[in-house]
Amino acid sequence: MITPAETDVLLVVDVQRDFLPGGALAVPDGDAVIGPVNALGRLFAHVVLTQDWHPPGHASFASSHPGRQLFETVRLAHGEQVLWPDHCVMGTPGAALAEGLDLPAAELVIRKGYRPGIDSYSAFLEADRRTPTGLAGYLRERGFTRVVLCGLATDYCVGWSALDARAAGFAAVVVEDACRAIDQGGSLARAHAAMAEAGVERVRLEAVAG
Ligand code: VGL
Ligand code: ZN
């Protein structure tokens, strides 16, 4: 059972139009998270959102690598990168938070992936694994000790954020049915294994007490 306390923060990851059906990088059934996320938002006193936020021509876009295919992996200066369709381009409608997302009391929106050459699945550390987004410092300064995660996608931004929450010293809980996965090439199974190894708790919505 998870009973939201003053030291808990709900982290709502990348619930943006481009990740919903019809969007540029649609997560299967992605719109199914909106109801559960809104319900969670009413249970937590503190809510933080993330927004994937890329400049045009971002290094994670297949279109920036002529001759390369979508979902192929390439080697960038800082490591392996999956090539995605152009998505969440800063200031475009696809980068906007999903319609129907109803979290008026959210206290912070943290944007990530805005450096042209570096992706950032994680809300805490960019893909070079060195550049902090500032979120860990913010959460520590606010006195939070546990991060409860939901949103899109389980195997990328939610999963990486949960692992980095643990690495930064927070307890981390993923509310599974308030997330959906891209699940390409075994990515969801890998994410589940890594989360289990790192001590990320996985619960269902009904285990979060009102
Ligand atoms: C995401 C792939 C690329 C995510 C963001 O939000 O999970 N996945 N950019
Ligand atoms: Zn992205």
Side-chain angles (χ1 to χ4, degrees):
M1 236 18 224
I2 300 289
T3 304
E6 212 24 60
T7 49
D8 291 331
V9 63
L10 179 69
L11 184 64
V12 177
V13 177
D14 296 4
V15 184
Q16 291 167 265
R17 286 188 193 167
D18 269 345
F19 295 124
L20 302 188
L25 178 40
V27 178
D29 207 24
D31 48 347
V33 306
I34 294 174
V37 167
N38 288 345
L40 284 170
R42 286 187 278 282
L43 300 177
F44 284 79
H46 305 289
V47 179
V48 167
L49 311 181
T50 70
Q51 223 173 355
D52 207 39
W53 199 253
H54 302 306
H58 190 249
S60 75
F61 297 168
S63 63
S64 306
H65 305 267
R68 299 295 188 150
Q69 304 294 308
L70 283 177
F71 308 112
E72 222 185 283
T73 300
V74 293
R75 192 140 192 103
L76 299 183
H78 57 265
E80 299 272 298
Q81 174 68 51
V82 177
L83 296 181
W84 304 106
D86 291 26
H87 66 279
C88 297
V89 174
M90 44 177 66
T92 64
L97 295 173
E99 267 163 79
L101 195 65
D102 187 22
L103 301 167
E107 293 164 357
L108 175 74
V109 180
I110 188 141
R111 289 172 168 169
K112 59 184 180 61
Y114 48 75
R115 288 187 173 81
I118 316 178
D119 206 359
S120 190
Y121 297 144
S122 163
F124 292 90
L125 270 189
E126 299 194 16
D128 61 1
R129 314 308 297 144
R130 306 153 54 99
T131 306
T133 63
L135 183 59
Y138 172 86
L139 296 180
R140 265 186 220 120
E141 194 165 2
R142 295 281 317 273
F144 297 120
T145 56
R146 182 165 64 172
V147 183
V148 178
L149 299 98
C150 59
L152 302 170
T154 321
D155 40 349
Y156 288 95
C157 293
V158 175
W160 286 53
S161 297
L163 295 175
D164 283 349
R166 294 289 302 128
F170 300 98
V173 181
V174 170
V175 184
E176 290 193 290
D177 42 348
C179 302
R180 288 294 183 280
I182 294 174
D183 200 11
Q184 289 251 354
S187 54
L188 182 59
R190 279 197 304 276
H192 280 158
M195 287 194 275
E197 170 86 29
V200 176
E201 202 182 335
R202 278 161 59 195
V203 302
R204 300 197 56 88
L205 187 56
E206 67 214 17
V208 185

